Amino acid sequence: MTENFSEEKQREYTRDGSVDLKGNPILRSKKGGWTACYFVVVYEIFERMAYYGITSNLVLYLTRKLHQGTVASANNVTNWVGTGFLTPILGAYIADAHLGRYWTFVISSAIYLLGMCLLTATVSIPSLRPPPCNQNNLANCKPASKLQVGVFFAALYTLALATGGTKPNISTIGADQFDEFDKKERSHKISFFNWWNFSIFLGTLFANVILVYVQDNVGWSLGYGLPTIGLAISLVVFFAGTPFYRHKLPQGSPFTKMARVLLAALRKWRVSLPEDSAELYELDIEEYAQRGKFRIHSTNSLRFLNKAAIKAGRNSPWMLCTVTQVEETKQMLKMIPILIAMFIPAAMIAQVNTLFVKQGTTLNRHTLAMLISIVVYDRYLTKIMRSWTKNPRGISLLQRIGVGLSLHIVIMLVASIVERRRLRFARDHGVFQSGETVPLTIFTLLPQYALMGVSDAFLIVGKSEFFYDQAPESMKSLGTSYSLVTYGIGNFLSSVLLGGISKFTKRGGRHGWILDNLNASHLDYYYALLSALSVFNLVFFVFVSKLYVYKAELYESNEEPMKDIGKGYDEESEI
């Protein structure tokens, strides 16, 4: 590119530091945008079909085929799901620090497909399956051998490891296709998260309607084989879109950056901060522009950390950090209270794939409500609220999450009432002790599933966008992993709650709330307890939300410097 590179020509290139796979700058008209996102969204439909084809009915496979009890099978599901949502921390680190999002995803997806093939083999090969047992009393069934259990769970945890590299990076890859410095693309990114989650629940709906039916009525071999084929198709779709993707270069370990800031601030805790933040250490803005990175101005939030940028003592990376490094660390730390507030709702969501299923249905209908709610929210409610609040999103991200949390209270109260009615029918029809089917239609459970779907349209979409949006540019994968980690902790919390309540309520020879025979259990009490926990969690969330300060938008603070982002590149380099 010549020195007379015009400003108009520069604007044809993306200004957010995105490049192609060879490291060349991106012409906005050639790559990214919705064209690239279509491949990512279609991938997610098939991948979610594969994942929920396993998850949705897993608790029933563990009880019916591996002959595990209610508490053991539910906890095994939540422990596995929890692990799968904690490994994204590792995947985010590898992507942000070393391989980048695309290559981390490619390697992880190969492991993912391997795990799905192994899982399909465990339910198809006779020697890897325990003998069938049709008795209601699991104690009379021959338990699965150590080899059968070991191979099955090895396959499951291979999937958990693989999702650590796919989950935090695939949605981030999709969001990266929109340039934050272009007004039109910025508005599309806001809409992307709604349609991203729409694709997730479209795949989930197919899994819960079609695949669950196949597993129950045709066989587990085909029921797991179809998700494996679906995953293979999703990968073909994703790789077909490679020529259209924009990429972000890895920018170093986010954990190392944060550790340096914290240590540098602690080492200089006795040093007084200057009155003028301009005296703090920072690189020239041109250096950021040339590297395709972003400079962040100093703020007064978590002011103690500003001491890491005081020019005092040695100039080593562990003694002196830039203002931008300090502010990036602040952004990640400020989100932790919101992160904590997401643990309880994630534990509520865990009930959908465990106790809600065990209540009497393998047909999860909450996804249909979710799909309708997302379309209504994106196409209508957002526009109405935007005209009223002047917020481009209609309502703020934290307000959207708050609506979802409020609905969780109602969901668990409804679930408790519905379960009380189901138990009454069990007593009235003499199936209280036998554990046989209660003569109630599946639609008895529809209210709690439908409400969960509406809640997800607010909570899940708002949460995923919040942690991506509020993370610094160099730590987007880590920010996305924050959202996923909430599910991991929530599922482990669900295991602790379920196991603890089960043991506690059996003390002293009492009957217990959660038994293998749900007709003799008291899940209504358990759901009421979860509703109470949701109330306390909502109060905590409102408190930390009042204290939270949104980060400054980079397209405002870096508008001028980013004009030179394309310098040094030829117009021909994109060909």
Side-chain angles (χ1 to χ4, degrees):
M1 182 177 298
T2 64
E3 290 295 328
N4 296 324
F5 190 83
S6 68
E7 180 178 329
E8 181 180 352
K9 185 64 67 176
Q10 289 184 49
R11 290 189 179 276
E12 294 181 7
Y13 286 84
T14 57
R15 306 168 68 204
D16 60 353
S18 57
V19 295
D20 64 14
L21 274 178
K22 296 181 179 180
N24 298 318
I26 295 291
L27 276 172
R28 194 184 308 281
S29 60
K30 298 289 185 180
K31 295 180 184 290
W34 282 112
T35 299
C37 277
Y38 291 145
F39 293 96
V40 177
V41 168
V42 172
Y43 158 85
E44 190 64 7
I45 293 174
F46 282 96
E47 190 278 331
R48 289 295 87 183
M49 180 197 74
Y51 179 79
Y52 283 103
I54 305 301
T55 307
S56 298
N57 229 14
L58 181 57
V59 69
L60 295 183
Y61 184 86
L62 294 177
T63 53
R64 293 176 180 176
K65 301 301 180 179
L66 293 187
H67 312 148
Q68 295 184 348
T70 298
V71 174
S73 59
N75 283 349
N76 275 327
V77 172
T78 51
N79 288 339
W80 170 65
V81 173
T83 302
F85 280 110
L86 287 182
T87 53
I89 287 288
L90 175 62
Y93 163 76
I94 294 173
D96 284 340
H98 300 291
L99 298 180
R101 289 154 197 163
Y102 179 85
W103 291 114
T104 303
F105 173 84
V106 169
I107 295 171
S108 300
S109 63
I111 300 173
Y112 198 164
L113 186 58
L114 175 65
M116 288 293 294
C117 291
L118 180 59
L119 191 65
T120 302
T122 63
V123 301
S124 303
I125 300 174
S127 61
L128 296 179
R129 299 192 312 250
C133 179
N134 297 320
Q135 300 184 54
N136 289 324
N137 188 355
L138 295 176
N140 297 326
C141 295
K142 183 180 179 180
S145 69
K146 291 183 179 180
L147 174 64
Q148 292 164 342
V149 173
V151 174
F152 185 80
F153 279 97
L156 283 181
Y157 279 89
T158 298
L159 296 179
L161 176 64
T163 55
T166 58
K167 284 182 184 293
N169 292 305
I170 185 62
S171 62
T172 312
I173 289 172
D176 286 346
Q177 305 311 308
F178 301 101
D179 186 355
E180 192 75 16
F181 291 86
D182 181 85
K183 184 177 180 181
K184 184 177 180 180
E185 290 195 17
R186 189 163 64 242
S187 65
H188 288 169
K189 180 181 284 191
I190 294 174
S191 185
F192 164 75
F193 283 97
N194 286 325
W195 293 103
W196 169 255
N197 283 278
F198 182 90
S199 71
I200 290 176
F201 287 94
L202 189 61
T204 305
L205 180 65
F206 180 87
N208 289 325
V209 173
I210 304 299
L211 294 181
V212 166
Y213 175 84
V214 171
Q215 290 163 3
D216 284 346
N217 297 279
V218 180
W220 292 92
S221 297
L222 183 61
Y224 278 6
L226 288 176
T228 303
I229 295 171
L231 179 64
I233 293 173
S234 73
L235 294 177
V236 171
V237 171
F238 176 82
F239 291 128
T242 297
F244 302 98
Y245 297 146
R246 300 175 185 176
H247 304 274
K248 295 291 183 69
L249 296 173
Q251 299 187 34
S253 168
F255 299 113
T256 301
K257 292 179 185 178
M258 295 166 68
R260 285 173 174 172
V261 171
L262 293 171
L263 186 59
L266 287 172
R267 284 179 170 179
K268 291 183 279 192
W269 68 278
R270 291 184 177 180
V271 181
S272 299
L273 281 166
E275 293 185 5
D276 187 357
S277 61
E279 297 180 29
L280 297 174
Y281 175 64
E282 182 58 288
L283 300 176
D284 292 336
I285 200 163
E286 288 78 12
E287 291 190 45
Y288 287 100
Q290 290 172 1
R291 298 176 187 176
K293 297 183 179 181
F294 307 94
R295 191 170 83 166
I296 307 175
H297 299 305
S298 181
T299 65
N300 287 325
S301 62
L302 300 177
R303 198 163 181 266
F304 170 79
L305 294 181
N306 289 349
K307 294 189 175 186
I310 296 176
K311 303 171 186 176
R314 292 182 291 115
N315 290 341
S316 74
W318 295 92
M319 277 294 292
L320 181 63
C321 303
T322 66
V323 168
T324 294
Q325 291 171 332
V326 171
E327 292 303 319
E328 287 176 337
T329 301
K330 288 181 182 179
Q331 287 172 17
M332 297 307 296
L333 293 178
K334 286 191 301 183
M335 291 192 291
I336 290 179
I338 305 296
L339 178 75
I340 294 172
M342 297 297 102
F343 295 162
I344 293 293
M348 305 299 108
I349 294 172
Q351 311 310 311
V352 174
N353 291 326
T354 54
L355 294 182
F356 278 21
V357 174
K358 287 289 290 179
Q359 264 184 291
T361 179
T362 58
L363 181 59
N364 183 340
R365 296 181 180 272
H366 93 285
T367 51
L368 185 58
M370 172 68 176
L371 294 174
I372 296 172
S373 299
I374 286 180
V375 174
V376 171
Y377 187 95
D378 188 76
R379 291 302 183 192
Y380 302 104
L381 184 58
T382 297
K383 294 179 181 179
I384 295 172
M385 296 302 296
R386 186 184 296 152
S387 63
W388 182 32
T389 65
K390 308 305 179 184
N391 187 314
R393 292 183 172 88
I395 58 177
S396 73
L397 294 174
L398 290 177
Q399 287 172 338
R400 185 171 186 173
I401 293 172
V403 172
L405 295 181
S406 301
L407 287 174
H408 268 214
I409 300 171
V410 179
I411 290 166
M412 288 303 156
L413 284 175
V414 170
S416 179
I417 294 170
V418 169
E419 177 63 6
R420 183 179 291 268
R421 178 170 180 260
R422 193 186 71 83
L423 291 176
R424 186 173 67 251
F425 265 73
R427 287 191 295 269
D428 293 345
H429 290 80
V431 293
F432 180 69
Q433 296 296 335
S434 65
E436 296 175 4
T437 302
V438 178
L440 275 175
T441 173
I442 189 176
F443 292 102
T444 301
L445 301 180
L446 185 59
Q448 64 205 56
Y449 278 115
L451 284 171
M452 184 66 80
V454 176
S455 170
D456 287 352
F458 287 90
L459 177 61
I460 292 180
V461 181
K463 180 173 64 172
S464 59
E465 185 177 358
F466 172 81
F467 286 115
Y468 174 88
D469 181 79
Q470 293 299 295
E473 291 298 316
S474 64
M475 302 180 185
K476 289 296 188 186
S477 293
L478 181 60
T480 301
S481 73
Y482 268 24
S483 176
L484 299 170
V485 162
T486 62
Y487 294 111
I489 299 296
N491 274 272
F492 284 118
L493 179 59
S494 176
S495 295
V496 171
L497 282 172
L498 191 63
I501 293 299
S502 176
K503 291 180 181 179
F504 179 79
T505 55
K506 289 179 182 178
R507 292 173 62 181
R510 288 177 292 183
H511 195 62
W513 288 4
I514 307 164
L515 307 172
D516 290 340
N517 177 7
L518 291 190
N519 291 348
S521 301
H522 264 299
L523 287 184
D524 52 336
Y525 295 168
Y526 182 65
Y527 290 149
L529 175 63
L530 293 181
S531 181
L533 287 176
S534 297
V535 172
F536 287 112
N537 186 71
L538 179 61
V539 172
F540 173 73
F541 173 78
V542 171
F543 174 74
V544 297
S545 295
K546 293 289 185 181
L547 300 178
Y548 187 81
V549 179
Y550 287 92
K551 74 171 187 178
E553 298 290 359
L554 286 174
Y555 56 82
E556 296 174 354
S557 60
N558 287 275
E559 188 70 19
E560 291 302 317
M562 293 307 294
K563 287 182 180 179
D564 295 328
I565 191 89
K567 263 186 186 175
Y569 295 108
D570 266 326
E571 189 177 22
E572 307 292 334
S573 64
E574 190 62 28
I575 299 176

